[in-house]
Amino acid sequence: MPSITIKAAATESKDANTTTDDVSHSLVTFLQSQSQNMLTRLYQKPSACLSIFRLLRPLERQIVMNLLWLDIQIPPSTMAAWVTREGKKPYQDALSTLARLHILPPSTTKHALNPTFKSSLRQAITGGGTSGSFGVLAENDGKHPPPEVEALDAYALERWETILYYMVSSGTGQFPAKPSAGVLYLLQRSGLMASIRGNALQITSTGFQFLLHPPHVQLWELLLQYLQMAEERQMDLVEVISFLLMLSTTELGKDYSTENLSATQKAMLEDLRDYGLIKQRTATSRRFSPTRLATTLTSSSPPLPTSAGSGDGSHAQGFIVLETNYRLYAYTDNPLQIAVLNLFVTLKSRFPNLVIGAITRESVKKALVNGITADQIISYLITHAHPQMRRNKPLLPVTVQDQVRLWELEKNRMKSQEGYLYTAFASQADYEYVLNYAKQLDVVLWENASRRCFFGRLEGHANIRGFIERRQTAGNA
C-alpha cells in the first residue's frame, strides 16, 4: 500500500495567507463558512477548482489527486491504510477541511470527490472544454496592442502604493494622492483606517500591522473584506469569487475580452482597476489586461517584483540599521518606507538614498497615541533590518527594545473604565449582600470593605439597581 508522507512543520515564519502544512489560506477558511449550494455553483467553474486546488495544503492536494482519477468509491479503511502512524492527525485534519469545503463529503462507508468538483478539476488539468472559464482572449485589432509587462507592473505598483502611502500619511499633515471613494470605504470597513471624532480617516493599529505584511497578504486581506461586502452591494458572491480566481489563471501581458463576463463581473472592473489588479485603456473599454497582482493571486510568485514592498530589493535585504544610542539609519529612497518610519521615528536628515533619525520618547508616544503598539514597532524593525544587523545576536539592541516597551508601559499605567460607585450602605450586611450579588454577575472592578463601597461595570448597573430596589421593597413590606 502507498503511504501519505507528512512533512515536518516549517520552522521559518510564513505569511498569513501563504499555504503551509498546518495553516490554511485565508480564502480557504472563508470558503469553509459558505453553504454547499454556493460551493457547488462555484465548482462548476474549472478555473475556480484549479485555483482552490492550488490553495490547499500539500496533504489535502495529495488526497484530492489520489481520488481524482478513480472512477469508483473507496472505503475509508483503504484510505486510512495509506497513512503512516505519525500522520494520523494531519490526515484527519485534511479530511475535515475537505469535508467543510464539500470537496470530499464525509462518509462512513465510501469516499469519493464531489462529482462537480471532480469533473471541473479534470477539465482544468486536461484542457478540455470551451466554456471560457479561464478567460477569453481579446482579438488583436491592430490599433491597441496589449500593454508591455513593464507597463503593467508600473501601473499595479503605482495603484497599490497610492493606497499604502495614503494610509501611512494620514494624520501627518501631508496630502498624498487620494485613492477612490470605493477604496477608502473598503479601508474603513476593514478596520485599517478610522475616522476619530468625525475627523479625516487615520490609520489604526490594525492598519499599521497591515503595512508590515507583504503585498500578497495585504491584497488578500482587502479582497476578503470585499467578498464580505458583496452581499450588501447586491452582488452575486459566486460570480465575484469565480472572477477573482479566473484572473489568477490568466496570462500576464495579454488582453482579455469583457464580452463573456456577467453583469456582476463587469461591475467589478472599476473596483479592480482601483486596486491595481487590472488595467483598461478606458472605463468603457471592452478589453482588460490583468496585472501581476491578479495573475499571482493563487501562486507563490511575488505580486510586485519591482516594488520595495515585495520580495526583492531593499525589502528582502533590509534597509534599517539601529544603534544602541537609538539612532536609526534607513538606506532607502522609497517614499512609502520613509512615511512608515515617520510614524514612530523622529527623522532628522535626508539624503538621496539615506534617511537618518532617532527613536525618541516623543516619537514613540505619538505612535502609541495612534494605536501602534511597541511589539509592532519592534517587529517592523526586525523585519526590515539591514543584512549587517542580522549578524547581531540579538538582532536589535536589547536596550532599545526594552526602552520602547517601557515607554508603552508609561502610557498604560492608568486605565479608565466606565461604571458606577456603590456606597452609603445602611449596614455591613446590606453591603456584603449586594457585593456578593455583583460578584456573581462578574462586574466588580474594585471594593473597599472598610468604607462599605465598591465600583461596578457599566453593563451590570441595571441588574444591581434592580436588586437593591427589590431588597428595599421587601424590607419595607
Side-chain angles (χ1 to χ4, degrees), residues 46 54 78 132 190 202 259 281 294 320 329 351 382 425 460 473:
R54 289 174 176 174
T78 302
S190 304
Q202 291 189 13
E259 297 298 325
R281 190 170 54 85
I320 294 175
Y329 302 87
F351 301 95
I382 291 175
F425 290 93
T473 301

Side-chain angles (χ1 to χ4, degrees), residues 334-388:
N334 184 281
L336 178 60
Q337 292 176 339
I338 296 172
V340 172
L341 287 175
N342 193 44
L343 290 174
F344 59 89
V345 175
T346 299
L347 301 181
K348 298 181 177 180
S349 305
R350 182 170 179 177
F351 301 95
N353 63 341
L354 173 66
V355 176
I356 301 175
I359 297 178
T360 64
R361 184 171 182 268
E362 290 70 25
S363 65
V364 172
K365 287 182 66 177
K366 180 186 71 173
L368 295 173
V369 168
N370 291 330
I372 300 170
T373 67
D375 285 339
Q376 288 174 343
I377 294 174
I378 294 170
S379 174
Y380 185 86
L381 294 173
I382 291 175
T383 303
H384 298 85
H386 193 276
Q388 290 186 351

Side-chain angles (χ1 to χ4, degrees), residues 214-232:
H216 186 81
V217 179
Q218 293 172 339
L219 183 58
W220 270 112
E221 286 190 31
L222 290 183
L223 289 179
L224 285 175
Q225 186 63 45
Y226 185 83
L227 294 179
Q228 293 170 3
M229 292 166 46
E231 185 175 350
E232 68 182 55

Side-chain angles (χ1 to χ4, degrees), residues 284-324:
T284 58
S285 176
R286 295 184 178 180
R287 58 181 64 202
F288 65 91
S289 300
T291 69
R292 201 181 299 269
L293 279 175
T295 60
T296 58
L297 275 175
T298 58
S299 77
S300 57
S301 301
L304 291 173
T306 58
S307 170
S310 72
D312 297 341
S314 60
H315 180 86
Q317 299 178 1
F319 61 95
I320 294 175
V321 174
L322 181 63
E323 297 181 337
T324 55

Side-chain angles (χ1 to χ4, degrees), residues 234-278:
Q234 298 182 343
M235 301 173 73
D236 187 339
L237 183 59
V238 173
E239 295 292 342
V240 174
I241 297 176
S242 63
F243 189 42
L244 293 175
L245 296 181
M246 182 270 283
L247 289 176
S248 72
T249 64
T250 54
E251 185 177 351
L252 188 64
K254 299 290 186 180
D255 272 344
Y256 289 82
S257 173
T258 64
E259 297 298 325
N260 65 321
L261 300 182
S262 66
T264 295
Q265 294 170 344
K266 289 180 179 178
M268 292 174 61
L269 293 176
E270 179 181 356
D271 297 324
L272 299 183
R273 287 198 307 268
D274 293 336
Y275 307 149
L277 270 72
I278 66 168

Side-chain angles (χ1 to χ4, degrees), residues 210 248 323 393 404 424 459 467:
F210 174 85
S248 72
E323 297 181 337
K393 291 186 179 181
V404 171
E459 58 268 24
F467 180 78

